[in-house]
Amino acid sequence: MTRLHLRLLALALGLATLSPKAASAKDMNGKFGFGAIQTFGGVSGLSLRYFVLRSVSLEVDAAVSFASLGDGQTATAFVGGAAVFYTLAQSRTTNLLIGLRGDFGVRSEPSDAPETPLLDAVNRKSTPESANFAGSLFQFNLEIPIVIEHFFSDSFSINISTGVLMVFVPEQGAFLESRGVAYEDASFILALGSGGFIGSLGATYWF
């Protein structure tokens, strides 16, 4: 056997030794993740993720904000989402997932009710009428996201996604805004290929 044959044999043995490791998939079964997410359905907030099986994961997203509007009026907004994902393809560092996510938002809507005087034992002050809220604004969006997730280590990953977005616009107008979607006076919007690198981005720390 010539020296060239020996080198080729050593190279083949080396590739055979490395190939199973390169092709082996990351086992995420039982992994819990905490991070931040911006969905292409308009929800931006904290994210909790859990792999119930090697290829099936659940996700819950949420955020809340409070605003002072002056004259004693305040507004509150809560956005959230829930999703289930199936891993279509796995490798050591990158996974491809498809899922179903529901995004929703609730926002209080203060009215223009005039202030009424309020007397107490010390000061005379004014406060908005008890019915100073016209009600709540609710919006629901539905996503079919296709996600590419890259693992920089066993503990940290980032993901981007695109897919199909269905927006159900309330009469008062949409407040779960999605990049690249034109709302105008529509009551229902179907968008294909929404998201991308800017419209949907997430980061997760895994335990």
Side-chain angles (χ1 to χ4, degrees), residues 128-182:
E129 293 181 350
S130 59
N132 65 324
F133 285 97
S136 296
L137 176 64
F138 177 81
Q139 182 180 344
F140 178 77
N141 295 342
L142 188 64
E143 303 177 30
I144 303 177
I146 300 173
V147 183
I148 297 175
E149 183 165 28
H150 182 76
F151 291 83
F152 290 91
S153 69
D154 290 338
S155 301
F156 179 72
S157 68
I158 63 170
N159 65 79
I160 59 175
S161 62
T162 187
V164 180
L165 174 64
M166 288 166 276
V167 181
F168 302 89
V169 183
E171 293 181 0
Q172 300 91 330
F175 68 95
L176 289 179
E177 296 186 358
S178 303
R179 184 179 295 272
V181 175

Side-chain angles (χ1 to χ4, degrees), residues 12 16 19 27 44 67-68 109 129 134 172:
S19 58
D27 187 3
S44 179
S68 176
E109 289 292 298
E129 293 181 350
Q172 300 91 330

Side-chain angles (χ1 to χ4, degrees), residues 59-72:
E59 178 181 310
V60 176
D61 314 312
V64 63
S65 61
F66 305 93
S68 176
L69 307 180
D71 298 329

